[in-house]
Coordinates of all heavy atoms in Angstrom, one line a residue:
M1 N 0.8 -1.2 0.0 CA 0.0 0.0 0.0 C 0.9 1.3 0.0 O 1.8 1.3 0.8 CB -0.9 0.0 1.2 CG -1.8 1.2 1.3 SD -2.9 1.2 2.8 CE -4.2 0.1 2.1
H2 N 0.6 2.2 -0.9 CA 1.3 3.4 -1.0 C 0.7 4.4 0.0 O -0.4 4.3 0.5 CB 1.2 4.0 -2.4 CG 2.0 3.2 -3.4 ND1 3.3 3.6 -3.8 CD2 1.7 2.1 -4.0 CE1 3.7 2.7 -4.7 NE2 2.8 1.8 -4.8
I3 N 1.5 5.5 0.3 CA 1.0 6.5 1.2 C -0.3 7.1 0.7 O -1.3 7.3 1.5 CB 2.0 7.7 1.3 CG1 3.3 7.2 1.9 CG2 1.5 8.9 2.1 CD1 4.5 8.1 1.9
H4 N -0.4 7.3 -0.6 CA -1.7 7.9 -1.2 C -2.9 7.0 -0.9 O -4.0 7.4 -0.6 CB -1.5 8.1 -2.7 CG -2.7 8.6 -3.3 ND1 -3.0 10.0 -3.2 CD2 -3.7 8.0 -4.0 CE1 -4.2 10.2 -3.9 NE2 -4.6 9.0 -4.4
E5 N -2.6 5.6 -1.0 CA -3.7 4.7 -0.8 C -4.1 4.7 0.7 O -5.3 4.6 1.0 CB -3.3 3.3 -1.2 CG -3.1 3.2 -2.8 CD -2.4 1.9 -3.2 OE1 -1.5 1.5 -2.4 OE2 -2.7 1.4 -4.3
F6 N -3.1 4.8 1.6 CA -3.4 4.8 3.0 C -4.3 6.1 3.3 O -5.3 6.0 4.0 CB -2.1 4.8 3.8 CG -2.4 4.9 5.3 CD1 -2.7 3.7 6.0 CD2 -2.3 6.1 6.0 CE1 -3.0 3.7 7.4 CE2 -2.6 6.1 7.4 CZ -2.9 4.9 8.1
Q7 N -3.8 7.2 2.7 CA -4.6 8.4 3.0 C -6.0 8.3 2.4 O -6.9 8.8 3.1 CB -3.8 9.6 2.3 CG -4.5 11.0 2.6 CD -3.7 12.1 2.0 OE1 -2.6 12.0 1.6 NE2 -4.3 13.3 2.1
E8 N -6.2 7.7 1.3 CA -7.5 7.5 0.7 C -8.4 6.6 1.6 O -9.6 6.9 1.8 CB -7.4 7.0 -0.7 CG -8.7 6.9 -1.4 CD -9.5 8.2 -1.5 OE1 -8.9 9.3 -1.6 OE2 -10.8 8.1 -1.4
M9 N -7.7 5.6 2.2 CA -8.5 4.7 3.1 C -8.9 5.5 4.3 O -10.1 5.4 4.7 CB -7.6 3.5 3.5 CG -8.2 2.6 4.5 SD -7.1 1.3 5.1 CE -6.1 2.3 6.2
M10 N -8.1 6.3 4.8 CA -8.4 7.2 6.0 C -9.6 8.1 5.6 O -10.5 8.4 6.4 CB -7.2 7.9 6.5 CG -6.1 7.1 7.1 SD -6.7 5.9 8.3 CE -7.1 7.0 9.6
R11 N -9.5 8.6 4.4 CA -10.6 9.5 3.9 C -11.9 8.8 3.9 O -12.9 9.3 4.4 CB -10.3 10.0 2.5 CG -11.4 10.9 1.9 CD -11.2 11.2 0.4 NE -10.0 11.8 0.1 CZ -9.8 13.1 0.3 NH1 -10.7 13.9 0.7 NH2 -8.6 13.6 0.0
Q12 N -11.9 7.5 3.4 CA -13.2 6.8 3.3 C -13.7 6.4 4.7 O -14.9 6.4 4.9 CB -13.0 5.5 2.5 CG -12.8 5.9 1.0 CD -12.6 4.7 0.1 OE1 -12.8 3.5 0.5 NE2 -12.1 5.0 -1.1
L13 N -12.8 6.2 5.6 CA -13.2 5.8 7.0 C -13.6 7.0 7.8 O -14.6 6.9 8.6 CB -12.0 5.1 7.7 CG -11.6 3.7 7.3 CD1 -10.3 3.3 8.0 CD2 -12.8 2.7 7.6
Y14 N -12.9 8.1 7.7 CA -13.1 9.2 8.7 C -13.4 10.6 8.2 O -13.5 11.5 9.0 CB -11.8 9.3 9.6 CG -11.6 8.0 10.4 CD1 -10.5 7.2 10.1 CD2 -12.5 7.6 11.3 CE1 -10.2 6.1 10.8 CE2 -12.3 6.4 12.0 CZ -11.1 5.6 11.8 OH -10.9 4.5 12.5
F15 N -13.4 10.8 6.8 CA -13.5 12.2 6.3 C -14.6 13.0 6.9 O -14.4 14.2 7.2 CB -13.5 12.2 4.8 CG -13.3 13.6 4.2 CD1 -12.1 14.3 4.4 CD2 -14.3 14.2 3.6 CE1 -11.9 15.5 3.9 CE2 -14.2 15.5 3.1 CZ -13.0 16.2 3.2
K16 N -15.8 12.4 7.0 CA -17.0 13.1 7.5 C -16.7 13.7 8.9 O -16.9 14.8 9.2 CB -18.2 12.3 7.4 CG -19.5 13.0 7.8 CD -20.7 12.1 7.6 CE -22.0 12.8 7.9 NZ -22.1 13.2 9.3
R17 N -16.2 12.8 9.7 CA -15.9 13.2 11.1 C -14.7 14.2 11.2 O -14.8 15.1 11.9 CB -15.6 12.0 12.0 CG -16.8 11.1 12.1 CD -16.4 9.8 12.8 NE -16.1 10.0 14.2 CZ -15.8 9.0 15.1 NH1 -15.9 7.8 14.7 NH2 -15.5 9.3 16.3
D18 N -13.7 13.9 10.3 CA -12.5 14.8 10.3 C -12.9 16.2 9.9 O -12.5 17.2 10.5 CB -11.5 14.3 9.4 CG -10.8 13.0 9.9 OD1 -10.9 12.7 11.1 OD2 -10.2 12.3 9.0
I19 N -13.8 16.3 8.9 CA -14.1 17.7 8.3 C -15.0 18.4 9.4 O -14.9 19.6 9.5 CB -14.8 17.6 6.9 CG1 -14.5 18.8 6.1 CG2 -16.3 17.3 7.0 CD1 -13.2 18.9 5.5
E20 N -15.8 17.7 10.1 CA -16.6 18.3 11.2 C -15.7 18.8 12.3 O -16.0 19.8 12.9 CB -17.7 17.3 11.7 CG -18.8 17.1 10.8 CD -19.7 15.9 11.1 OE1 -19.5 15.3 12.2 OE2 -20.6 15.6 10.4
R21 N -14.7 18.0 12.6 CA -13.8 18.4 13.7 C -12.9 19.6 13.3 O -12.6 20.4 14.1 CB -12.8 17.2 14.0 CG -12.0 17.4 15.3 CD -11.1 16.2 15.5 NE -11.7 14.9 15.4 CZ -11.7 14.1 14.4 NH1 -11.0 14.4 13.3 NH2 -12.3 12.9 14.3
G22 N -12.6 19.6 12.0 CA -11.8 20.8 11.5 C -10.3 20.7 11.7 O -9.8 19.7 12.3
V23 N -9.6 21.7 11.2 CA -8.2 21.7 11.2 C -7.6 21.7 12.6 O -6.8 20.9 13.0 CB -7.6 22.9 10.4 CG1 -6.1 23.0 10.6 CG2 -8.0 22.8 8.9
D24 N -8.1 22.6 13.4 CA -7.6 22.8 14.8 C -7.8 21.5 15.6 O -6.9 21.0 16.3 CB -8.2 24.0 15.5 CG -7.7 25.3 15.0 OD1 -6.7 25.3 14.2 OD2 -8.3 26.3 15.3
G25 N -9.0 21.0 15.6 CA -9.4 19.8 16.3 C -8.6 18.6 15.9 O -8.1 17.8 16.7
T26 N -8.4 18.4 14.6 CA -7.7 17.3 14.1 C -6.2 17.4 14.4 O -5.5 16.5 14.7 CB -7.9 17.1 12.5 OG1 -9.4 17.1 12.3 CG2 -7.3 15.9 12.0
Y27 N -5.7 18.6 14.2 CA -4.3 18.9 14.6 C -4.0 18.6 16.1 O -3.0 17.9 16.4 CB -3.9 20.3 14.3 CG -2.5 20.7 14.8 CD1 -1.4 20.3 14.2 CD2 -2.4 21.4 16.0 CE1 -0.1 20.7 14.7 CE2 -1.2 21.8 16.5 CZ 0.0 21.4 15.9 OH 1.2 21.7 16.4
N28 N -5.0 19.0 17.0 CA -4.8 18.7 18.4 C -4.8 17.2 18.7 O -4.0 16.7 19.5 CB -5.9 19.3 19.2 CG -5.8 20.8 19.2 OD1 -4.7 21.4 19.1 ND2 -6.9 21.6 19.5
W29 N -5.6 16.4 17.9 CA -5.5 15.0 18.1 C -4.2 14.4 17.6 O -3.6 13.5 18.3 CB -6.6 14.3 17.2 CG -7.9 14.1 18.0 CD1 -9.0 14.8 17.9 CD2 -8.2 13.0 18.9 NE1 -10.0 14.3 18.7 CE2 -9.5 13.2 19.4 CE3 -7.4 12.0 19.4 CZ2 -10.1 12.4 20.3 CZ3 -8.0 11.1 20.4 CH2 -9.3 11.3 20.8
L30 N -3.7 14.9 16.5 CA -2.3 14.5 16.0 C -1.3 14.8 17.1 O -0.4 13.9 17.4 CB -2.0 15.2 14.7 CG -0.5 15.0 14.2 CD1 -0.3 13.5 13.9 CD2 -0.3 15.9 13.0
V31 N -1.3 16.0 17.7 CA -0.3 16.3 18.7 C -0.4 15.4 19.9 O 0.6 14.9 20.5 CB -0.5 17.8 19.2 CG1 0.3 18.1 20.4 CG2 -0.1 18.7 18.0
D32 N -1.7 15.1 20.3 CA -1.9 14.1 21.5 C -1.3 12.8 21.1 O -0.7 12.1 22.0 CB -3.4 14.0 21.8 CG -4.0 15.2 22.5 OD1 -3.2 16.1 22.9 OD2 -5.2 15.3 22.6
E33 N -1.5 12.3 19.9 CA -1.0 11.0 19.5 C 0.5 11.0 19.4 O 1.2 10.0 19.8 CB -1.6 10.6 18.1 CG -3.1 10.3 18.2 CD -3.4 9.2 19.2 OE1 -2.6 8.4 19.5 OE2 -4.6 9.1 19.5
V34 N 1.1 12.1 19.0 CA 2.6 12.2 19.0 C 3.1 12.1 20.5 O 4.1 11.4 20.8 CB 3.1 13.5 18.3 CG1 4.6 13.7 18.5 CG2 2.8 13.4 16.8
A35 N 2.4 12.8 21.4 CA 2.8 12.7 22.8 C 2.7 11.3 23.3 O 3.5 10.9 24.1 CB 1.9 13.7 23.6
E36 N 1.6 10.6 22.9 CA 1.4 9.2 23.4 C 2.6 8.3 22.8 O 3.1 7.5 23.5 CB 0.1 8.7 22.9 CG -1.1 9.2 23.7 CD -2.4 8.6 23.3 OE1 -2.4 7.5 22.7 OE2 -3.4 9.3 23.6
L37 N 3.0 8.6 21.6 CA 4.1 7.9 21.0 C 5.4 8.1 21.8 O 6.1 7.2 22.2 CB 4.4 8.3 19.5 CG 5.6 7.7 18.9 CD1 5.6 6.2 18.8 CD2 5.7 8.2 17.4
G38 N 5.6 9.4 22.2 CA 6.7 9.7 23.0 C 6.7 9.0 24.4 O 7.8 8.5 24.8
E39 N 5.5 8.9 25.0 CA 5.4 8.2 26.3 C 5.8 6.7 26.1 O 6.5 6.1 26.9 CB 4.0 8.3 26.8 CG 3.7 9.7 27.4 CD 4.7 10.2 28.4 OE1 5.0 9.4 29.3 OE2 5.2 11.3 28.3
E40 N 5.3 6.2 25.0 CA 5.6 4.8 24.7 C 7.0 4.5 24.4 O 7.6 3.5 24.9 CB 4.7 4.3 23.5 CG 4.5 2.9 23.3 CD 3.9 2.2 24.5 OE1 2.9 2.7 25.0 OE2 4.4 1.1 24.9
L41 N 7.7 5.5 23.8 CA 9.1 5.3 23.5 C 10.0 5.3 24.8 O 11.0 4.7 24.9 CB 9.6 6.4 22.6 CG 9.1 6.4 21.1 CD1 9.5 7.6 20.3 CD2 9.5 5.1 20.4
K42 N 9.5 6.1 25.8 CA 10.2 6.2 27.1 C 10.1 4.8 27.8 O 11.1 4.4 28.4 CB 9.6 7.3 28.0 CG 10.0 8.7 27.6 CD 9.3 9.7 28.6 CE 9.2 11.0 27.9 NZ 8.2 11.9 28.6
K43 N 9.0 4.2 27.6 CA 8.8 2.9 28.3 C 9.6 1.8 27.6 O 10.3 1.0 28.3 CB 7.3 2.4 28.2 CG 6.4 3.2 29.1 CD 5.0 2.5 29.2 CE 3.9 3.5 28.8 NZ 2.7 2.8 28.5
Q44 N 9.6 1.8 26.3 CA 10.3 0.8 25.5 C 10.2 -0.7 26.1 O 11.1 -1.4 26.2 CB 11.8 1.1 25.4 CG 12.1 2.2 24.4 CD 13.6 2.3 24.1 OE1 14.4 1.9 24.8 NE2 13.9 3.0 23.0
T45 N 9.0 -1.0 26.4 CA 8.8 -2.4 26.9 C 7.9 -3.3 26.0 O 8.1 -4.4 25.9 CB 8.0 -2.3 28.3 OG1 6.9 -1.5 28.1 CG2 8.9 -1.8 29.4
D46 N 7.0 -2.6 25.2 CA 6.1 -3.4 24.5 C 6.1 -3.0 23.0 O 5.5 -1.9 22.7 CB 4.7 -3.2 25.1 CG 3.6 -4.0 24.4 OD1 3.9 -4.6 23.3 OD2 2.5 -4.1 25.0
K47 N 6.8 -3.7 22.1 CA 6.9 -3.3 20.7 C 5.5 -3.2 20.0 O 5.3 -2.3 19.2 CB 7.8 -4.3 20.0 CG 8.0 -3.8 18.6 CD 9.2 -4.4 17.9 CE 9.5 -3.7 16.6 NZ 10.4 -4.5 15.8
E48 N 4.6 -4.1 20.4 CA 3.3 -4.0 19.7 C 2.6 -2.8 20.1 O 1.9 -2.1 19.2 CB 2.4 -5.2 20.2 CG 1.2 -5.4 19.3 CD 0.4 -6.7 19.7 OE1 1.0 -7.7 20.1 OE2 -0.8 -6.6 19.7
A49 N 2.7 -2.3 21.3 CA 2.0 -1.1 21.8 C 2.7 0.1 21.1 O 2.0 1.1 20.6 CB 2.1 -0.9 23.3
T50 N 4.0 0.0 20.9 CA 4.8 1.1 20.2 C 4.3 1.2 18.7 O 4.1 2.3 18.2 CB 6.3 0.9 20.3 OG1 6.7 0.7 21.6 CG2 7.0 2.0 19.6
E51 N 4.1 0.0 18.1 CA 3.7 0.0 16.7 C 2.3 0.7 16.6 O 2.0 1.4 15.6 CB 3.6 -1.4 16.2 CG 5.0 -2.0 15.9 CD 4.9 -3.5 15.5 OE1 3.8 -4.1 15.6 OE2 5.9 -4.1 15.1
K52 N 1.4 0.4 17.5 CA 0.1 1.0 17.5 C 0.1 2.5 17.6 O -0.7 3.2 17.0 CB -0.8 0.4 18.6 CG -1.2 -1.0 18.3 CD -2.0 -1.7 19.3 CE -2.4 -3.1 18.9 NZ -3.1 -3.9 20.0
E53 N 1.1 3.0 18.4 CA 1.2 4.5 18.5 C 1.7 5.1 17.2 O 1.3 6.1 16.8 CB 2.1 4.8 19.7 CG 1.5 4.5 21.1 CD 0.2 5.1 21.4 OE1 -0.2 6.1 20.8 OE2 -0.6 4.5 22.2
F54 N 2.7 4.4 16.6 CA 3.1 4.9 15.3 C 1.9 4.9 14.3 O 1.8 5.8 13.5 CB 4.2 3.9 14.7 CG 5.6 4.3 15.1 CD1 6.2 3.7 16.2 CD2 6.3 5.3 14.3 CE1 7.5 4.1 16.5 CE2 7.6 5.6 14.7 CZ 8.2 5.0 15.8
A55 N 1.1 3.8 14.3 CA -0.1 3.8 13.5 C -1.0 5.0 13.7 O -1.5 5.6 12.8 CB -0.8 2.5 13.7
D56 N -1.2 5.3 15.0 CA -2.1 6.4 15.3 C -1.6 7.7 14.8 O -2.3 8.5 14.3 CB -2.3 6.5 16.9 CG -3.2 5.4 17.4 OD1 -3.9 4.7 16.6 OD2 -3.1 5.2 18.6
V57 N -0.2 7.9 14.9 CA 0.4 9.1 14.4 C 0.2 9.3 12.9 O -0.3 10.3 12.4 CB 1.9 9.2 14.8 CG1 2.6 10.4 14.1 CG2 2.0 9.4 16.3
I58 N 0.5 8.2 12.1 CA 0.3 8.3 10.7 C -1.2 8.5 10.3 O -1.5 9.2 9.3 CB 1.0 7.2 9.9 CG1 1.2 7.6 8.4 CG2 0.4 5.9 10.1 CD1 2.1 6.7 7.6
A59 N -2.0 7.8 11.1 CA -3.5 7.9 10.8 C -4.0 9.4 11.0 O -4.7 9.9 10.1 CB -4.3 7.0 11.7
W60 N -3.6 10.0 12.1 CA -4.0 11.4 12.3 C -3.3 12.4 11.4 O -3.9 13.4 11.0 CB -3.8 11.7 13.8 CG -4.9 11.1 14.6 CD1 -4.9 10.0 15.4 CD2 -6.2 11.6 14.8 NE1 -6.1 9.7 15.9 CE2 -6.9 10.7 15.6 CE3 -6.9 12.7 14.2 CZ2 -8.3 10.9 15.9 CZ3 -8.2 12.9 14.6 CH2 -8.9 12.0 15.4
L61 N -2.1 12.1 11.0 CA -1.4 12.9 10.0 C -2.2 12.8 8.7 O -2.4 13.9 8.0 CB 0.0 12.5 9.8 CG 0.9 13.3 8.9 CD1 1.1 14.7 9.4 CD2 2.2 12.6 8.6
A62 N -2.6 11.6 8.3 CA -3.4 11.5 7.0 C -4.7 12.2 7.2 O -5.2 12.8 6.2 CB -3.6 10.0 6.8
S63 N -5.4 12.1 8.3 CA -6.6 12.8 8.5 C -6.5 14.3 8.4 O -7.3 15.0 7.7 CB -7.2 12.5 9.9 OG -7.9 11.2 9.9
L64 N -5.4 14.8 9.0 CA -5.2 16.3 8.9 C -4.9 16.7 7.5 O -5.4 17.7 7.0 CB -4.0 16.6 9.8 CG -3.7 18.1 9.9 CD1 -4.9 19.0 10.4 CD2 -2.5 18.4 10.8
A65 N -4.1 15.9 6.8 CA -3.9 16.2 5.4 C -5.2 16.1 4.6 O -5.4 17.0 3.7 CB -2.9 15.2 4.8
N66 N -6.1 15.2 4.9 CA -7.4 15.2 4.2 C -8.2 16.4 4.4 O -8.8 17.0 3.5 CB -8.2 13.9 4.6 CG -7.7 12.7 3.9 OD1 -7.1 12.7 2.8 ND2 -7.8 11.5 4.5
V67 N -8.2 16.9 5.7 CA -9.0 18.1 6.0 C -8.4 19.3 5.2 O -9.1 20.2 4.8 CB -9.0 18.3 7.5 CG1 -9.6 19.7 7.9 CG2 -9.7 17.2 8.2
M68 N -7.0 19.3 5.1 CA -6.3 20.4 4.5 C -6.3 20.3 2.9 O -5.8 21.2 2.3 CB -4.9 20.5 5.0 CG -4.8 21.0 6.4 SD -5.3 22.7 6.7 CE -4.2 23.5 5.6
G69 N -6.7 19.1 2.4 CA -6.6 18.9 1.0 C -5.2 18.8 0.5 O -4.8 19.2 -0.6
I70 N -4.3 18.2 1.4 CA -2.9 18.0 1.0 C -2.7 16.5 0.6 O -3.2 15.6 1.3 CB -2.0 18.3 2.3 CG1 -2.2 19.7 2.7 CG2 -0.6 17.9 2.0 CD1 -1.4 20.7 1.9
D71 N -2.1 16.3 -0.5 CA -1.7 14.9 -0.9 C -0.4 14.6 -0.2 O 0.7 15.1 -0.6 CB -1.6 14.9 -2.4 CG -1.2 13.5 -3.0 OD1 -0.6 12.7 -2.2 OD2 -1.6 13.2 -4.1
L72 N -0.4 13.7 0.8 CA 0.7 13.4 1.6 C 1.9 12.8 0.8 O 3.0 13.2 1.0 CB 0.4 12.4 2.7 CG 0.0 12.9 4.1 CD1 -0.2 11.7 5.0 CD2 1.1 13.8 4.7
E73 N 1.5 11.9 0.0 CA 2.5 11.2 -0.8 C 3.2 12.2 -1.8 O 4.5 12.2 -1.8 CB 1.9 10.1 -1.6 CG 2.9 9.3 -2.4 CD 2.4 8.0 -3.0 OE1 2.0 7.1 -2.3 OE2 2.2 7.9 -4.2
K74 N 2.5 13.0 -2.4 CA 3.0 14.0 -3.3 C 3.9 15.0 -2.5 O 5.0 15.3 -3.0 CB 1.9 14.8 -4.0 CG 2.3 15.8 -5.0 CD 1.1 16.5 -5.7 CE 1.6 17.7 -6.4 NZ 0.7 18.9 -6.1
A75 N 3.4 15.4 -1.4 CA 4.2 16.4 -0.6 C 5.5 15.7 -0.1 O 6.6 16.4 -0.2 CB 3.4 16.8 0.6
A76 N 5.4 14.5 0.4 CA 6.6 13.8 0.9 C 7.7 13.6 -0.2 O 8.9 13.8 0.0 CB 6.2 12.5 1.6
I77 N 7.2 13.0 -1.3 CA 8.1 12.7 -2.4 C 8.7 13.9 -3.1 O 9.8 14.0 -3.5 CB 7.4 11.8 -3.5 CG1 7.0 10.5 -2.8 CG2 8.4 11.5 -4.6 CD1 8.0 9.7 -2.1
S78 N 7.9 15.0 -3.2 CA 8.5 16.2 -3.8 C 9.5 16.8 -2.9 O 10.5 17.4 -3.4 CB 7.4 17.2 -4.2 OG 6.7 17.6 -3.1
K79 N 9.4 16.7 -1.6 CA 10.5 17.2 -0.7 C 11.6 16.3 -0.5 O 12.8 16.7 -0.6 CB 9.9 17.6 0.6 CG 11.0 18.3 1.5 CD 10.5 19.0 2.7 CE 11.6 19.7 3.4 NZ 11.2 20.4 4.6
Y80 N 11.3 15.0 -0.3 CA 12.4 14.0 0.0 C 12.5 13.0 -1.2 O 12.1 11.9 -1.1 CB 12.0 13.2 1.2 CG 12.1 14.1 2.4 CD1 10.9 14.7 2.9 CD2 13.2 14.4 3.1 CE1 10.9 15.6 4.0 CE2 13.3 15.2 4.2 CZ 12.1 15.8 4.7 OH 12.2 16.7 5.7
N81 N 12.9 13.5 -2.4 CA 13.0 12.7 -3.6 C 14.3 12.1 -3.7 O 15.2 12.5 -4.5 CB 12.7 13.6 -4.8 CG 12.4 12.8 -6.0 OD1 12.3 11.6 -6.0 ND2 12.4 13.5 -7.2
L82 N 14.6 11.0 -3.0 CA 15.8 10.2 -3.0 C 17.0 10.9 -2.6 O 18.1 10.3 -2.7 CB 16.0 9.6 -4.5 CG 14.8 8.8 -5.0 CD1 15.1 8.4 -6.5 CD2 14.5 7.5 -4.2
K83 N 16.9 12.1 -2.0 CA 18.1 12.8 -1.5 C 17.6 13.8 -0.4 O 16.5 14.1 -0.4 CB 18.8 13.5 -2.6 CG 17.9 14.5 -3.3 CD 18.6 15.1 -4.6 CE 17.6 16.1 -5.2 NZ 18.0 16.5 -6.6
C84 N 18.6 14.1 0.4 CA 18.3 15.1 1.5 C 18.0 16.4 0.9 O 18.7 16.9 0.0 CB 19.6 15.2 2.4 SG 19.5 16.5 3.6
P85 N 16.9 17.1 1.3 CA 16.5 18.4 0.7 C 17.5 19.5 1.1 O 17.5 20.5 0.4 CB 15.1 18.6 1.3 CG 15.0 17.8 2.5 CD 15.9 16.6 2.3
K86 N 18.3 19.3 2.1 CA 19.3 20.4 2.5 C 20.6 20.2 1.7 O 21.0 21.2 1.1 CB 19.5 20.3 4.0 CG 18.4 20.9 4.8 CD 18.8 21.0 6.3 CE 17.7 21.6 7.1 NZ 18.0 21.5 8.5
C87 N 21.2 19.1 1.8 CA 22.5 18.9 1.2 C 22.4 18.3 -0.2 O 23.5 18.2 -0.9 CB 23.4 18.1 2.1 SG 22.9 16.4 2.3
H88 N 21.3 17.8 -0.6 CA 21.0 17.2 -1.9 C 21.9 15.9 -2.1 O 22.2 15.6 -3.2 CB 21.3 18.2 -3.0 CG 20.4 19.4 -2.8 ND1 19.1 19.5 -3.0 CD2 20.8 20.7 -2.4 CE1 18.7 20.7 -2.8 NE2 19.7 21.4 -2.4
K89 N 22.2 15.2 -1.0 CA 23.0 14.0 -1.1 C 22.2 12.8 -0.5 O 21.3 13.0 0.3 CB 24.3 14.1 -0.3 CG 25.2 15.3 -0.8 CD 26.6 14.9 -1.1 CE 27.4 15.9 -1.8 NZ 27.7 17.1 -1.2
A90 N 22.6 11.6 -1.0 CA 22.0 10.4 -0.4 C 23.1 9.4 -0.2 O 23.8 9.0 -1.2 CB 21.0 9.8 -1.4
P91 N 23.4 8.9 1.0 CA 22.7 9.4 2.2 C 23.1 10.8 2.6 O 24.1 11.4 2.1 CB 23.1 8.4 3.3 CG 24.4 7.9 2.8 CD 24.4 7.9 1.3
C92 N 22.3 11.5 3.5 CA 22.6 12.8 3.9 C 24.0 13.0 4.4 O 24.5 12.2 5.1 CB 21.6 13.1 5.0 SG 21.9 14.7 5.9
Q93 N 24.6 14.1 4.0 CA 25.9 14.5 4.5 C 25.9 15.7 5.4 O 27.0 16.3 5.6 CB 26.8 14.7 3.3 CG 26.8 13.6 2.2 CD 27.8 12.5 2.4 OE1 29.0 12.8 2.6 NE2 27.4 11.3 2.3
C94 N 24.8 16.2 5.8 CA 24.7 17.4 6.6 C 25.5 17.2 7.9 O 25.5 16.1 8.5 CB 23.2 17.7 7.0 SG 22.2 18.2 5.6
T95 N 26.1 18.2 8.4 CA 26.7 18.2 9.7 C 25.8 18.7 10.8 O 25.0 19.6 10.5 CB 28.0 19.1 9.7 OG1 27.6 20.4 9.3 CG2 29.1 18.5 8.8
F96 N 25.8 18.0 11.9 CA 24.9 18.4 13.0 C 25.7 19.0 14.1 O 26.8 18.6 14.4 CB 24.1 17.2 13.5 CG 23.2 16.7 12.4 CD1 23.5 15.6 11.6 CD2 21.9 17.3 12.2 CE1 22.6 15.2 10.6 CE2 21.1 16.9 11.2 CZ 21.4 15.8 10.4
Ligands
ZN101 ZN1 21.6 16.4 4.3

């Protein structure tokens, strides 16, 4: 399944609810899910629970993109097209 197909599946499952919740409400859910992922990473005890938190983050990111009319796959690939968008190398050679 491609990112676009996942986003379309999320649209079919949740678009009506997402559009009613709106940008701010959907963004707040995404932030909450990222925080839950962070809590799960601190525990590092249950890989299945961690996977579920990753799933929630990408699901809410897709929902927010649907509300905003953003094609996630197009956005991701146009910025990260086989090379680092900063140094234009693969793998990235940026200094930190
Ligand atoms: Zn780089």
Side-chain angles (χ1 to χ4, degrees):
M1 180 179 277
H2 290 262
I3 296 169
H4 179 80
E5 292 166 328
F6 180 80
Q7 183 175 352
E8 185 55 34
M9 179 185 73
M10 296 306 291
R11 176 192 301 278
Q12 288 177 17
L13 289 173
Y14 297 116
F15 188 67
K16 186 175 181 294
R17 294 173 67 173
D18 289 339
I19 207 78
E20 286 169 3
R21 189 183 312 101
V23 173
D24 288 350
T26 304
Y27 172 78
N28 289 338
W29 268 103
L30 172 62
V31 170
D32 287 348
E33 293 299 342
V34 171
E36 286 181 20
L37 174 60
E39 291 302 313
E40 200 57 46
L41 293 174
K42 283 181 202 160
K43 290 191 230 163
Q44 281 195 341
T45 52
D46 184 348
K47 184 159 186 195
E48 194 179 324
T50 305
E51 286 175 351
K52 286 178 180 172
E53 294 302 337
F54 271 94
D56 288 341
V57 169
I58 196 169
W60 282 99
L61 183 65
S63 280
L64 182 58
N66 282 335
V67 173
M68 290 294 298
I70 299 281
D71 181 334
L72 264 185
E73 184 170 291
K74 182 176 164 230
I77 300 303
S78 61
K79 182 162 185 183
Y80 296 92
N81 191 12
L82 303 175
K83 60 190 178 193
C84 172
K86 282 189 182 171
C87 67
H88 305 287
K89 301 229 168 67
C92 171
Q93 310 267 314
C94 292
T95 53
F96 293 99

